Structures are given as C-alpha cells and as structure tokens.
Amino acid sequence: MARRRTKKRTHVGASNGTSKSQPANSSASRVPKSMVIRIGAGEVGASVSQLVKDIRGMMEPGTASRLKERRSNRLRDYTTMAGPLGVSHLLLFSRSTTGNTNLRLALTPRGPTLHFRVEKYSLCKDVLKAMKHSKGGGKEYLSPPLLVMNNFTSPQPADGETPNVPKHLESLTTTIFQSLFPPISPQSTPLSSIRRVLLLNRELPTSSSSSSKADGSYVINLRHYAITTKRTGLSRSIRRLNAAEKMIKEKKNKRSIPNLGKLEDVADYLLDPSAAAGGFTSGSESEVETDAEVEVLETTARKVLNKKQMEAYRKSDSNASRPEGPAVEKRAVKLVELGPRMKLRMTKVEEGVCNGKVMWHEFLSKTKEEVKEMEKVWEQRRREKEARKKVQKENVDRKRKERGAGEKEEIGYNEDEWDSEDLVEDSDDDGMEVDDDGPIQVPAG
C-alpha cells in the first residue's frame, strides 16, 4: 500500500508554521520579519517585479519569499496581517504616474516610514552577466546577511550652518536599517553562518556650492556580496587536488581535475605542477585573488574520546610536544557580488505607516510659526478622532442591548476597523509631491 503523503507547507507539522509554545506575536519570537510588496502588482512593470524578487532573495531567510500580490490588495490588507504573522517591516515598491520607481520602508504597527526614490537599479541577472566568475545558488541564503553601514552620520558643518538632514533623523534612519536583520553577537555567532554582506553606503552631500545642498541630500548606495574564503600558505598543486576531491564527492563537473595520466609518480606533479598542464601555467592562477587575509580557528572535525581514552591520552608522554589550544589557519577573504544594486534617494519621513505628520521633507521647509500652526491642526484632528471613536463605541453597545443578550450575533468593535479616518487606501504618489495636510518641520537651529 502506498504511503499517504503529508502536506508540510500549510498544515500542522509544517516547518514554517508557528509553534504552540511561541505564538507569532510573542516577544520571545520577535525576530525581524519583512514583506517586500508590489503596490499595484500589474502596473509596476516587469523590471520592477524582478527587482522585488531579487530584494526578497536578499532579505532571506526572514521574509515572505513566496508572497503573491493582487491588484485589488491595498496597504490596509498587509498592515492588518502584519501583526498575526509577526511582520516588523514593510518594503513597498510602487511606480508613479510620471514613471518614477519609489520605495517605502515602514515599521509596523506604528511607523515611522522612510520614502525613497529609486534613481538607479541593476537586477541580479545583469550583475551576474557582467562578472567573469559569478557565484550564487548555494547555502548563502540560509542565514541573514551581515549589515555594513557607512557615512550614515554626517559630520557637523564647520561654518555653523544647519545641516540639511537633522541629526535625530540620521539616527532614526540608522536604527531602522539596523532593525532589518537580527543582531549578531561576536561571542556566540559562528563564523561559518556569515556568508553574505549587505553594504549601505551614504553619499555625503558636498558643501562647495549652494545647489549641492538641495540636490542629493540623503543618497544611499546598496550592494549585496557573497563571502568566499580560501586557504593560504598552500601550493597551487595541493589546492587543485583539494578542489578535485570536493568535486568528486559532490559529483560536479570534473574538467578542472588535473590529468596525471602522463606522469609516473604523484611526486612529479607536487614538485612540478606545470607538468600536468603540459609545462605551461597561467599567471592568474599563480596567486590567490584576495581582498584581505584573516586568521580563523580551524574547523576540522576531531575525534571524541571516552573517559578511559582521555585518561590514557593525558598520561602518555607523546602529547607533551603537541601544542595546546585550537589550531589557527590563514584564509583569504574575497567578496563576490550577488546583486541587486540600488541607488536610493530619501525624499520624505512620515510619523506613521505611510501616513501621519511629515517629520522631514527634502524639497520643502516651513518656518517655526507654520510648524506650530500645523501642530494645532493635528491636535484638533486627534481630538475629533477620539470623540468619533467614543460615539461609535456607544452606538455598538446600544445596539447590543437593543437586540438582547440572548442573541449571539457577531457584532465586534475594533478601533482600527471602525475608525473611518484610518481606512486610507494606498496611492502611487510621486516622491516629489507634498502632503499639504501634514506639517513640515525645519531642523532646529
């Protein structure tokens, strides 16, 4: 009788399901999880859709890699499911009517939201085609990448002028990007688990001219690399034999295995590696291409001794000459780009999830008097919102009493669902358009 198949994707017992001991929204399982979403799935185009797939691969393993969007989906649908699923970040890609590609990075459930314009981008397939020796498709995506950020805090201007981006917003942007991936502990994190690097480099604005201050005030370049290591201190012949042994075990292509058929002894190959290649060697293979050399602890497997063997080993005189402690080996480290590439320009920072007060805007600034006036408007809106929620709750309680306690009808009250102001559908606005209802604060100076 054939064995019955057990569904492991959506049913009980699936590896991606939430355990009963730790619910999805518990603090113990609060690891960074993200959703990379296309707003207007059929309207962004094929290139942006492929970019979204590449970003999902870059955010692995803590992202929804098999997420399917629909044209009818709105931002409200994703924010509602973010809480039960434990999603902490939303990366929203959209295209405006003018053809600009925009990215919004939002923290759930209360914000803030960073608005970026994607000025330039390159897909993973374009990056791999441009490289001579590409790498990918291995075990690199089983662990989160190592996040490296550079120039996220600009130096204080020497002439005493107010910086274009306030210091507290720079620190907020740094914190948001750092929270995308789980923190790494140097004492407990094994080096073998760090296989990728995500580099974020900010282009500092030049203060030589007045026009440079308004153009490109906060530009971030994104790069994605894989970490490759090779042992150093070994001859070229031994390195080729080690590589050939791995290929035989993994049943891969055997073209790079050295041909020793014309040699009488393996010592001829070890003493003269050029003999296996007909007497010629290439200059590129004589040295290992490397970005740096580091010393790491040797990770070779060691035999576990029982109690009697350990006592005999300690009493023996042969172990006196052996060095104590783990062995250290030198490895050459090289970064191989995986893609994608992006050049992001921050245009706006909002207080909530894609709505709320505008904390900073690149193209417009308001005076302190205008900011105070808009603060009064937002305070009035907040009071009206609380009053409206109170009236709605009273109406629900009154209807429940009128229908009687015996009727068990599902008339639930949810503040988020009953508040009509929060039912804001997402729009594909251009990054340059200004929210007229929101105050724009100027840097304190």
Side-chain angles (χ1 to χ4, degrees), residues 193-345:
S193 64
I194 304 176
R195 300 176 180 270
R196 293 182 293 143
V197 172
L198 179 60
L199 175 61
L200 299 176
N201 180 38
R202 179 193 172 190
E203 297 181 1
L204 292 178
T206 58
S207 57
S208 58
S209 60
S210 59
S211 61
S212 62
K213 184 177 180 180
D215 185 15
S217 61
Y218 206 99
V219 178
I220 299 175
N221 292 317
L222 183 144
R223 297 290 187 272
H224 185 212
Y225 299 94
I227 303 176
T228 59
T229 59
K230 292 183 179 180
R231 289 185 178 181
T232 59
L234 300 178
S235 62
R236 174 174 170 268
S237 57
I238 298 179
R239 289 201 307 268
R240 293 187 64 184
L241 288 177
N242 290 338
E245 183 181 0
K246 292 181 180 179
M247 289 184 178
I248 292 175
K249 291 181 179 179
E250 297 177 2
K251 297 181 181 180
K252 292 185 177 180
N253 192 4
K254 300 180 181 180
R255 292 182 179 179
S256 60
I257 298 177
N259 185 12
L260 306 181
K262 297 181 181 181
L263 301 179
E264 297 180 357
D265 192 359
V266 71
D268 298 337
Y269 172 73
L270 295 177
L271 297 177
D272 187 11
S274 61
F280 297 96
T281 57
S282 60
S284 60
E285 295 180 353
S286 59
E287 296 181 359
V288 180
E289 295 182 0
T290 177
D291 294 334
E293 290 186 3
V294 295
E295 293 183 355
V296 296
L297 298 180
E298 190 176 0
T299 57
T300 56
R302 297 184 178 181
K303 183 179 179 181
V304 179
L305 304 179
N306 55 25
K307 188 175 181 181
K308 294 182 179 180
Q309 293 176 347
M310 184 63 68
E311 292 179 356
Y313 175 75
R314 291 176 180 176
K315 294 179 181 179
S316 61
D317 297 333
S318 58
N319 61 347
S321 60
R322 297 182 182 181
E324 296 293 336
V328 178
E329 60 181 1
K330 288 186 177 181
R331 285 186 173 268
V333 181
K334 185 181 179 182
L335 300 180
V336 181
E337 189 169 3
L338 297 174
R341 298 179 182 178
M342 283 197 302
K343 185 177 182 180
L344 306 175
R345 178 173 178 176

Side-chain angles (χ1 to χ4, degrees), residues 24-25 30 33 75-76 78-90 92 105-113 179 350-356 385 389 414 416 422:
N25 55 356
R30 190 64 176 176
K33 296 182 181 179
L75 178 61
R76 179 73 176 180
Y78 301 108
T79 54
T80 302
M81 295 303 301
L85 296 178
V87 177
S88 57
H89 295 77
L90 295 178
L92 310 172
L105 176 57
L107 267 68
T108 58
R110 302 185 181 276
T113 304
S179 63
E350 289 181 328
E351 190 176 32
V353 180
C354 300
N355 57 12
K385 182 178 178 180
K389 286 183 178 180
N414 192 334
D416 294 335
D422 288 342

Side-chain angles (χ1 to χ4, degrees), residues 360-375:
W360 176 83
H361 203 287
E362 179 186 6
F363 303 104
L364 290 180
S365 60
K366 291 189 176 183
T367 60
K368 295 182 178 180
E369 290 75 12
E370 293 175 340
V371 171
K372 292 181 180 179
E373 186 66 24
M374 295 306 297
E375 287 287 349

